[in-house]
Amino acid sequence: MTCKGIDGETRVVGVIGWPVRHSLSPPMHNAAFEVLGLNWVYVPFAVAPDQVAATVQAVRALDLVGLNVTIPHKLAVLPLLDEVSAEARALGAVNTIINDEGTLRGRNTDGEGFLRSLREIGGDVSGRRVALIGAGGSARAVALAAAKAHVEQLTIINRTLEKAEVVAEMVRAAQPGAPVEVLGLEAKEAERAVREAQVVIDSTAVGMYPHHETAPVIPVEWLHREQTVCDLTYNPRETVLLSAAKAVGARTLDGTGMLVHQGALALEYWTGKKAPVEVMREALLAGLAKRSAG
Ligand code: NAP
């Protein structure tokens, strides 16, 4: 760790969360700034919930480049910004703030980040049947992005049906006519929906370290080789679900791709430059490995 390069012209960008010490964004963005030759630094800011408004004001006062916003502040920053993209407004969640000469613009890069990561492995949701397991924060972003990308059918399957309905309503309001349906996890039709899906996305935290040996939410027997199976969990990279999907010959995608690409998109908004995705991925994976070793 060195701050040798910091001088009077260094620009600052960072991430706010509570807590924030586990964020992998600082190494990812700092590695990118270095290869882009930018005299910028990315730092974590632990911001208590009652300090969010003061923090947003400080972006202007300190002329920060912008911020990433993580849990639990994604909703709280929304009314404090000058402009919020339609997508972030529909999601009720901002994960990126861009300081455009004092005008603060809010965006959400999670959904597009997921789509980019899927395209990177040759996958797509456009014109496909998609089964989305889970209805939490990450599911909202993925569901809306999938609807905007014109899925053939989006089936949201969740343990708590009412929560899936809330996500479906949000999608329909933002994308009228979107082909979205909801099912409870225990519904008889859930098996059919998963088997018929070309893309299966698990957005639950089930399978996440330290509970990485827990059985997936859906029976792995429902998976087959014609599918692309995605797990948004990134620790571990190969969850029980993905390992079963690989075993039947399905194409698989772990959560690190979405994490890298949501960051890459944010970086592109701040810098106007193409993100060095491989450099960011390498830094992220190194950070994850360090965390596992610790
Ligand atoms: P969240 O808002 O807490 O939602 C969790 C979802 O999982 C809910 O739908 C919940 O169902 C379901 N769930 C939890 N335990 C379950 C169980 N035992 N059986 C069945 N369903 C269960 O979580 P989130 O923020 O969306 O995050 C979910 C996962 O995505 C985490 O692993 C997180 O690390 C990952 N994530 C990855 C990225 C990325 O960039 N790769 C970004 C965000 C999140 P109920 O509604 O019934 O409670």
Side-chain angles (χ1 to χ4, degrees), residues 18 46-55 72-73 76 80:
W18 185 256
V47 172
D50 64 353
Q51 293 302 316
V52 172
T55 301
H73 303 321
L80 304 169

Side-chain angles (χ1 to χ4, degrees), residues 131-149:
L132 174 62
I133 323 298
S138 60
R140 287 173 70 81
V142 169
L144 183 57
K148 282 182 177 291

Side-chain angles (χ1 to χ4, degrees), residues 76-226:
V77 298
L78 210 140
L80 304 169
L81 304 174
D82 299 306
E83 199 186 289
V84 175
S85 71
E87 192 174 6
R89 196 168 290 285
L91 293 172
V94 163
N95 79 340
T96 303
I97 298 173
I98 303 130
N99 180 5
D100 186 0
E101 296 180 355
T103 299
L104 301 188
R105 305 188 201 284
R107 292 189 163 262
N108 192 305
T109 64
D110 283 336
E112 183 55 28
F114 170 74
L115 292 186
R116 276 200 189 186
S117 71
L118 184 58
R119 287 188 208 114
E120 197 174 55
I121 61 153
D124 203 354
V125 293
S126 306
R128 311 289 204 285
R129 300 182 72 84
V130 176
L132 174 62
I133 323 298
S138 60
R140 287 173 70 81
V142 169
L144 183 57
K148 282 182 177 291
H150 304 291
V151 278
E152 182 188 317
Q153 179 68 46
L154 172 64
T155 307
I156 305 170
I157 304 169
N158 195 43
R159 177 176 61 181
T160 312
L161 183 63
E162 296 72 29
K163 289 196 195 162
E165 272 160 1
V166 170
V167 180
E169 275 314 307
M170 178 275 298
V171 170
R172 288 188 201 108
Q175 193 73 8
V180 51
E181 62 174 6
V182 299
L183 290 171
L185 199 49
E186 303 301 327
K188 231 173 46 235
E189 304 92 320
E191 176 174 356
R192 171 199 52 78
V194 172
R195 284 190 191 274
E196 289 180 0
Q198 288 133 316
V199 183
V200 178
I201 306 162
D202 187 337
S203 74
T204 71
V206 175
M208 197 170 127
Y209 185 81
H211 306 291
H212 51 292
E213 283 168 9
T214 308
V217 168
I218 53 163
V220 296
E221 295 73 31
W222 294 359
L223 305 175
H224 54 82
R225 67 186 311 275
E226 278 80 37

